[in-house]
Amino acid sequence: MTAEGIQDDSGTRPEFAVLGSLEVRVGGELLPLNSALQQRVLVTLLLEAGRVVPLSRLIAAAWQEEPPDSSEHQVRKTVAKLRGRIPHGHGIIVTDGSGYRAVVDTEELDLLRFQRRLSQARESLEANEQEGAVARLREALALWRGPVLAGSGGRVVDAASTALEEQRLTAAEQLYGLLLDAGEAAGITGELRALVDEHPLRETLRSRLMLALYHSGQQAAALDEFSRAREQLADELGIDPGAELTGLHERILRQDPSISRPERAAAPVVLHQETEAPHALPFDVPDFSGRSHELQWICERARGAQDGSPTVLALDGMGGGGKTTLAVRAAHQLAERYPDGSLFIDLHGFTPGQTPLSPFQAQGDLLAAAGIPSEEISTVPAGRAARWQSYMRGRQMLLVLDNSASSEQVRELIPAFCDSLVLITSRPRLTGLDGAEWLSVGALPELDSHQILRNTLGAERVEREPDSARELLRLCGGLPLAVRIAAARLANRPRWSVQRLVERLRDHNRRLDELTSEGRGVASALLLSYQSMPLEQRTAFRLLGHHPGRYLDADEAAALLDTDALTAEDVLEELVDIRLLEAREPGVYALHDLVRSFVQRVAQGERAPQDGQATERLLDHYLRTAELACDTLFPGRRRVGDTDEEGVAGSGFGHKDRALQWLDQHRESLLAAVDAAYDEGLLWHAARLPRELGFHSSIRGYDASANVALEKGVKASTRLGDPSLARLNLMNLAMGKWRLGQLSGAVARLEEAVDLSRQMEDEHSEAECRARLGQAYNSMGELERALQLSQEAGERARELGFTRLDGSSLSMLSLIQVRLGRFEEAVESAERAVAIFDSIKEVQLSVSALSYLSQAVEGLGRFEEALARTDAALERCRRMNMLAELPLVLARRADVLVRMGELEEAADSSDHALAKAASSTGDIHRAAVHLAVGRVRYAQSDLDTAKDQQLLAHEIACRMELRYDEACALWGLARTAEAQGDARLAREHRAAADNLFSLMKVPETAR
């Protein structure tokens, strides 16, 4: 990056991988693209590389649901960002007519390489070169890492992914057919079984497996495969196996000579040479799974090596990440390219109880492994180094230097003049090693972890508990060592269910102990990395263990370490270098789940006096920044403390978007921080922080977890003896309960808050609590009481100069007036509320006010104006991404459109509202959404659906005591029953609705 953040296009062109999760690499380094919109647009262009992709197709690919009105602009903006982010971006993504085109070479995109290898395989087959076809098919299939965008790309991308998956499976069937013809059945049975388990209904794959088993002398197993296929086809599709599979089954039964095992070609006789080449690679585990991208990276660089100089490839990553297993697998695959032999040495950089080997010791061990007599190995460092270089000179060998600790340890082991391949594994990246190409080995993808589990436990046992298996892998965090230990524990305990081990692993304090077996475990692997650090670095790592979440930024680290953000970032980057921390994006870092368990154990076990101060500094930082963010988002709210002054809009954050982004990014850490503060007796922080979570939740709708924090805030306030903070937490807790539809609980908390306000003689607080009571009573259908409370709260707010409360009281007053049929008054109240909110730049509350204004003008028959007000509310709601309010605003829009006769657009809006309500955590608006859908379906004469929606609304309203919504549901049910010809049921529903409306004093004009 240049100083201005623009990519420098003078360097290496990027390489793209789309056959799996999207990867963009520049010079071997991963270029993160965290935006889902950027990923989908780029993948769609790469899937059509060389061809023009119209803008309409990019829009369809970018949004799974209805695209926003600004979709065209957003796609163009996304393309501009990609061009700026990716080196040579303007040359890679070019504008072509009304669309865009990706310009990449074959070697720059795995999809193009995949397609070229398939084409080369076809050419080899046409030339009757079976070996060449097998090699090209193997290379093509090795590029496959999984579904495009890991299966989360949406409708358009998933359709392309499905087509590519079909190409992959066809290629696999062709490959295994060729290998069977070549007599290689025994070597492919495991691969075939894994594919069949993945695609059990694919009959050609199943036939290949049956034939491989039969050729391997396993006739009974081959016949069992047919029985399994027949059962699965019947269960899933209700059909019998096809002619090919059935015919093969019959031929196996009668041992038909036509399917007898072909003879393998005789291996050439090799005369014994006087000096035999050494072959000292360790055992290659048979159940190796995944890492196809990493294997491809190693193999491609080995094949592209320059003559006359060694190729040095280095793998780094945290302990237990499977680097050694990967290096050994790659070495076995490449060994035949190096006729002078292969050597492996464990340098003991991180081996329990072992001192790392010196270069002198390592040279001696390697020479001995190569067959050099001990008397020829010098005991002088210079002589031994010269003997090692002389031995390697001119040879083509493969060296694996495993478990290295430093650049110095391996530098003298690298041969100077030869065409050899050197594979190095290390935990830290050995930045002092010149000429090496690096690859970081991260977490294993879930599909690959799942395959390890299946290989160890058997597919049947894993498939009995699919959800538990997924959670087990999540708890192992994609760390191969953890997955293998967990799988081994289950394999040794056949009576255990997978769920039992999951429950044991859920205990955060025991997880590392559970992932230990025979002295080998995640904790011991991490401990070696920790113990190898200098004291100052160990102290910093221990202090970071007091961070409550997984993700942290430089500012949080600065608070924990009592330093500035730049210095803290340097410390974090050093921890990234030794693979105890992951760099997510500039300034943001992550602790692997198991590393987090480890560092928290270290923090508790080596606790020092300054640790408590570190926690307090972090909580101070959270509280200060969260308050500034909420002051920006919610202008006019009261500040906490002795002053009655209202908050200043925009203080601390330049824009609402930045404030909301900070709260979104730190939500989980803030929730965990409340628990940590309460548990450690830091009651002032435990009492203050929950308020900010409650405000943030009013936009993002995570009230269930925010309410837990607020409950602790109430307890902390009580223990502090601070009634002001207790009142604050009670009121925010009440509103969280209100959003969840827990109205009785909300009222109880508000009554407590009112009592506290009176005891403190705090007029501002009492007015605010009474306004919230009015809101709760309105939801419960006590409209007259709600009206009085809202009027009194508004009058008191104006007397006290409490502008925000004045606006919110007027807004609620307008809704109550609408329900009471006072439409003219409601319009005036809502317009005043909107004006107040606009004057203080309060966006969130203005959404409700505009929605209520829409209802009021609709009641006066001004439908076009009502729609305009609703659209204004919808625009603001989407701008703030207000998940809790969006379903209600969309439902409001549908209601207006029904009154206007625009039924098709109304149906789109109501369906969108229903979908959003289903994914929302808030419950208070669900009944209203179902009512709106019911009204649309009634207007469309879809009476059965209308009835279903009205019944759902009625059930929710009764459960939550939403009397007004209950009456509306009964009213709708009466109309629907009448239209269906059930006059008796219509009378019953209408009588019940009339009774409720009369109790609430709702006139007929407002029903």
Side-chain angles (χ1 to χ4, degrees):
M1 281 281 194
T2 64
E4 290 77 19
I6 305 299
Q7 287 283 359
D8 181 2
D9 286 356
S10 61
T12 307
R13 281 177 65 88
E15 296 176 2
F16 302 92
V18 297
L19 299 177
S21 58
L22 173 64
E23 290 186 355
V24 182
R25 291 187 179 273
V26 182
E29 290 290 331
L30 192 63
L31 183 70
L33 293 177
N34 296 326
S35 162
L37 189 58
Q38 289 184 23
Q39 290 185 8
R40 288 181 179 176
V41 168
L42 179 58
V43 162
T44 304
L45 290 169
L46 291 172
L47 288 171
E48 301 284 344
R51 295 188 289 273
V52 178
V53 181
L55 195 61
S56 59
R57 182 168 176 80
L58 291 174
I59 290 171
W63 283 274
Q64 295 196 51
E65 300 174 5
E66 178 184 352
D69 296 336
S70 60
S71 58
E72 183 174 334
H73 170 72
Q74 288 193 49
V75 168
R76 295 190 187 281
K77 185 177 178 181
T78 299
V79 169
K81 286 183 177 178
L82 287 169
R83 284 170 167 169
R85 179 78 174 134
I86 300 171
H88 304 277
H90 288 273
I92 290 171
I93 305 176
V94 300
T95 304
D96 198 332
S98 60
Y100 297 95
R101 178 164 48 88
V103 180
V104 289
D105 293 333
T106 301
E107 293 308 311
E108 293 172 351
L109 177 61
D110 62 349
L111 173 58
L112 295 180
R113 293 198 300 277
F114 175 75
Q115 292 169 338
R116 173 179 282 184
R117 300 295 186 272
L118 294 183
S119 176
Q120 291 170 337
R122 286 193 295 272
E123 292 169 3
S124 295
L125 284 174
E126 289 169 2
N128 202 28
E129 297 175 356
Q130 271 77 9
E131 288 185 7
V134 166
R136 299 294 83 76
L137 287 169
R138 281 280 193 202
E139 290 168 2
L141 293 171
L143 294 168
W144 186 269
R145 295 175 293 114
V148 179
L149 278 182
S152 61
R155 176 175 51 83
V156 173
V157 172
D158 287 351
S161 180
T162 300
L164 289 171
E165 172 74 1
E166 179 61 32
Q167 290 183 35
R168 173 215 176 194
L169 293 174
T170 301
E173 289 164 349
Q174 189 174 35
L175 169 65
Y176 293 123
L178 290 170
L179 291 172
L180 285 167
D181 291 340
E184 301 288 344
I188 62 173
T189 306
E191 297 172 29
L192 268 169
R193 188 175 295 284
L195 263 181
V196 167
D197 287 345
E198 197 176 335
H199 302 279
L201 304 182
R202 199 167 179 98
E203 294 188 47
T204 303
L205 271 180
R206 184 84 67 170
S207 70
R208 299 284 192 269
L209 175 57
M210 288 171 61
L211 203 52
L213 290 167
Y214 181 70
H215 285 174
S216 303
Q218 302 178 61
Q219 180 181 4
L223 296 173
D224 282 343
E225 281 301 321
F226 179 82
S227 299
R228 192 174 293 113
R230 181 170 54 195
E231 182 180 335
Q232 289 173 327
L233 287 166
D235 289 345
E236 297 289 332
L237 304 177
I239 61 174
D240 292 323
E244 178 187 358
L245 206 59
T246 303
L248 177 60
H249 175 247
E250 292 171 354
R251 291 196 296 276
I252 291 173
L253 277 172
R254 64 175 185 264
Q255 298 185 1
D256 191 326
S258 67
I259 59 168
S260 61
R261 177 179 179 175
E263 293 294 326
R264 294 185 61 177
V269 177
V270 180
L271 295 176
H272 177 70
Q273 298 179 354
E274 189 172 75
T275 305
E276 187 176 345
H279 296 285
L281 292 178
F283 174 66
D284 182 19
V285 295
D287 62 344
F288 182 92
S289 180
R291 300 297 190 199
S292 57
H293 170 75
E294 291 86 348
L295 279 170
Q296 178 192 347
W297 182 88
I298 295 170
C299 293
E300 285 184 352
R301 276 150 182 79
R303 294 186 183 110
Q306 296 181 357
D307 293 339
S309 61
T311 300
V312 183
L313 305 178
L315 310 174
D316 67 274
M318 67 179 285
K323 301 179 295 297
T324 299
T325 308
L326 171 61
V328 170
R329 168 55 62 99
H332 277 279
Q333 290 188 358
L334 293 167
E336 63 183 17
R337 295 177 56 85
Y338 299 93
D340 296 320
S342 50
L343 295 173
F344 175 95
I345 187 169
D346 183 351
L347 297 172
H348 298 304
F350 298 89
T351 303
Q354 297 259 18
T355 302
L357 294 182
S358 67
F360 176 76
Q361 292 170 314
Q363 287 164 352
D365 288 353
L366 286 167
L367 286 167
I372 304 300
S374 58
E375 61 269 18
E376 295 183 23
I377 301 175
S378 174
T379 58
V380 179
R384 186 173 292 186
R387 183 70 178 91
W388 168 246
Q389 291 294 344
S390 297
Y391 173 78
M392 290 298 298
R393 186 181 182 89
R395 279 186 164 85
Q396 289 180 283
M397 294 190 69
L398 192 157
L399 304 179
V400 180
L401 309 180
D402 184 48
N403 195 11
S404 54
S406 65
S407 301
E408 291 73 19
Q409 192 183 23
V410 297
R411 189 178 288 118
E412 294 182 39
L413 304 181
I414 297 174
F417 302 101
C418 68
D419 296 329
S420 293
L421 171 65
V422 182
L423 290 178
I424 301 170
T425 73
S426 65
R427 294 191 185 185
R429 175 161 290 193
L430 308 183
T431 54
L433 198 61
D434 296 331
E437 291 190 75
W438 284 94
L439 178 68
S440 293
V441 179
L444 201 61
E446 184 179 339
L447 285 174
D448 297 338
S449 298
H450 198 264
Q451 191 59 48
I452 292 176
L453 207 59
R454 290 165 69 94
N455 290 342
T456 307
L457 302 181
E460 183 180 351
R461 188 172 176 189
V462 175
E463 287 166 4
R464 280 202 303 266
E465 300 177 83
D467 293 338
S468 298
R470 278 192 293 272
E471 187 172 1
L472 176 68
L473 297 177
R474 181 188 65 77
L475 291 167
C476 290
L479 198 66
L481 175 61
V483 176
R484 289 187 180 278
I485 290 174
R489 292 200 70 189
L490 286 170
N492 291 329
R493 293 164 177 79
R495 290 187 177 85
W496 276 24
S497 66
V498 178
Q499 182 61 26
R500 181 171 182 183
L501 182 56
V502 165
E503 289 166 358
R504 294 170 71 96
L505 289 173
R506 279 177 184 159
D507 185 340
H508 191 68
N509 296 321
R510 287 187 49 83
R511 190 175 304 165
L512 292 174
D513 297 326
E514 295 290 340
L515 294 174
T516 300
S517 176
E518 296 183 350
R520 183 182 70 143
V522 177
S524 56
L526 295 173
L527 182 61
L528 289 165
S529 295
Y530 175 68
Q531 291 173 337
S532 70
M533 294 190 290
L535 176 61
E536 184 178 347
Q537 200 172 43
R538 288 205 306 271
T539 301
F541 183 64
R542 189 191 75 243
L543 290 176
L544 293 178
H546 294 285
H547 186 277
R550 182 184 175 193
Y551 300 99
L552 72 157
D553 58 29
D555 290 326
E556 293 168 278
L560 283 166
L561 303 178
D562 198 17
T563 186
D564 60 88
L566 284 176
T567 303
E569 190 169 25
D570 289 341
V571 173
L572 295 172
E573 288 294 336
E574 289 173 359
L575 292 171
V576 170
D577 288 340
I578 61 175
R579 297 302 176 255
L580 285 175
L581 206 61
E582 302 169 15
R584 308 293 293 189
E585 57 186 76
V588 179
Y589 302 84
L591 285 163
H592 186 282
D593 283 344
L594 296 175
V595 175
R596 186 155 61 94
S597 296
F598 173 76
V599 70
Q600 287 174 353
R601 175 179 291 189
V602 169
Q604 294 301 317
E606 301 181 13
R607 193 174 182 88
Q610 64 265 37
D611 289 22
Q613 297 169 6
T615 300
E616 196 163 353
R617 286 193 303 270
L618 178 63
L619 292 171
D620 285 340
H621 164 72
Y622 279 153
L623 183 57
R624 180 172 59 252
T625 314
E627 284 183 335
L628 290 173
C630 287
D631 284 344
T632 302
L633 286 168
F634 307 98
R637 71 175 193 153
R638 292 181 71 209
R639 290 178 173 172
V640 177
D642 297 329
T643 177
D644 289 332
E645 184 182 355
E646 295 182 20
V648 180
S651 57
F653 284 85
H655 196 275
K656 289 180 185 291
D657 289 346
R658 287 185 56 209
L660 189 55
Q661 182 185 37
W662 188 91
L663 288 168
D664 287 343
Q665 289 174 342
H666 293 82
R667 178 176 86 184
E668 296 302 325
S669 293
L670 292 172
L671 286 165
V674 174
D675 292 337
Y678 189 84
D679 293 342
E680 296 194 22
L682 298 170
L683 300 179
W684 188 78
H685 297 88
R688 288 282 300 271
L689 261 178
R691 181 202 191 204
E692 314 312 324
L693 289 161
F695 269 90
H696 182 226
S697 181
S698 68
I699 293 178
R700 288 295 189 247
Y702 58 95
D703 293 294
S705 52
N707 285 359
V708 173
L710 284 159
E711 294 276 12
K712 285 200 171 173
V714 173
K715 293 178 183 177
S717 307
T718 304
R719 288 175 61 185
L720 281 170
D722 190 327
S724 177
L725 286 177
R727 192 279 313 170
L728 196 68
N729 283 306
L730 282 167
M731 192 181 71
N732 282 291
L733 176 60
M735 297 321 296
K737 287 182 174 292
W738 175 81
R739 285 189 292 273
L740 292 174
Q742 300 168 7
L743 301 185
S744 298
V747 169
R749 297 298 182 276
L750 287 169
E751 294 287 6
E752 289 181 58
V754 169
D755 289 342
L756 284 174
S757 299
R758 287 171 178 164
Q759 291 171 23
M760 295 184 293
E761 298 182 353
D762 184 343
E763 294 177 316
H764 288 79
S765 295
E766 184 178 353
E768 194 170 10
C769 291
R770 291 177 69 80
R772 300 295 169 259
L773 273 172
Q775 183 175 345
Y777 283 126
N778 169 68
S779 297
M780 297 172 75
E782 298 187 33
L783 300 185
E784 290 289 347
R785 190 174 182 183
L787 182 72
Q788 181 183 352
L789 285 165
S790 296
Q791 288 173 333
E792 291 173 353
E795 290 168 3
R796 196 74 188 103
R798 287 187 286 277
E799 291 172 4
L800 296 168
F802 196 166
T803 310
R804 179 185 176 86
L805 181 60
D806 184 18
S808 62
S809 298
L810 284 166
S811 180
M812 181 50 54
L813 185 62
S814 69
L815 176 60
I816 300 166
Q817 288 167 335
V818 164
R819 292 182 168 183
L820 292 172
R822 305 177 187 178
F823 299 118
E824 294 283 2
E825 296 174 40
V827 169
E828 181 184 354
S829 298
E831 286 179 339
R832 286 171 60 195
V834 172
I836 288 172
F837 294 141
D838 287 348
S839 71
I840 63 173
K841 299 181 181 178
E842 165 54 76
V843 177
Q844 184 211 16
L845 294 179
S846 71
V847 170
S848 298
L850 283 165
S851 185
Y852 302 154
L853 179 56
S854 168
Q855 287 182 259
V857 295
E858 180 192 330
L860 295 172
R862 293 156 28 194
F863 302 141
E864 292 288 349
E865 183 182 349
L867 184 62
R869 299 296 191 179
T870 304
D871 285 344
L874 186 59
E875 188 277 327
R876 296 185 186 194
C877 194
R878 282 177 167 158
R879 189 198 318 164
M880 293 281 286
N881 194 18
M882 295 169 57
L883 303 178
E885 291 292 327
L886 182 58
L888 187 65
V889 177
L890 288 166
R892 171 93 285 276
R893 188 171 188 271
D895 278 338
V896 178
L897 289 166
V898 167
R899 297 292 297 273
M900 297 173 69
E902 302 288 346
L903 299 187
E904 186 173 345
E905 190 176 353
D908 287 343
S909 191
S910 67
D911 289 346
H912 196 186
L914 198 59
K916 290 297 182 183
S919 61
S920 171
T921 57
D923 288 327
I924 192 67
H925 301 318
R926 287 188 192 276
V929 170
H930 288 298
L931 284 171
V933 178
R935 284 189 281 268
V936 172
R937 297 308 179 205
Y938 176 86
Q940 292 179 315
S941 299
D942 183 358
L943 300 181
D944 287 338
T945 304
K947 179 181 177 181
D948 290 342
Q949 293 296 317
Q950 289 154 358
L951 286 170
L952 274 171
H954 184 260
E955 185 275 326
I956 293 169
C958 290
R959 174 163 45 87
M960 295 186 186
E961 302 179 78
L962 303 171
R963 293 291 169 258
Y964 184 83
D965 288 337
E966 181 186 350
C968 290
L970 288 166
W971 189 266
L973 284 166
R975 288 203 308 166
T976 303
E978 189 172 47
Q980 290 179 320
D982 193 336
R984 181 192 60 78
L985 187 59
R987 284 195 301 273
E988 289 178 5
H989 286 322
R990 184 163 287 113
D994 284 337
N995 181 53
L996 284 172
F997 279 135
S998 297
L999 288 172
M1000 292 183 286
K1001 299 184 180 178
V1002 175
E1004 289 191 12
T1005 54
R1007 299 180 186 179

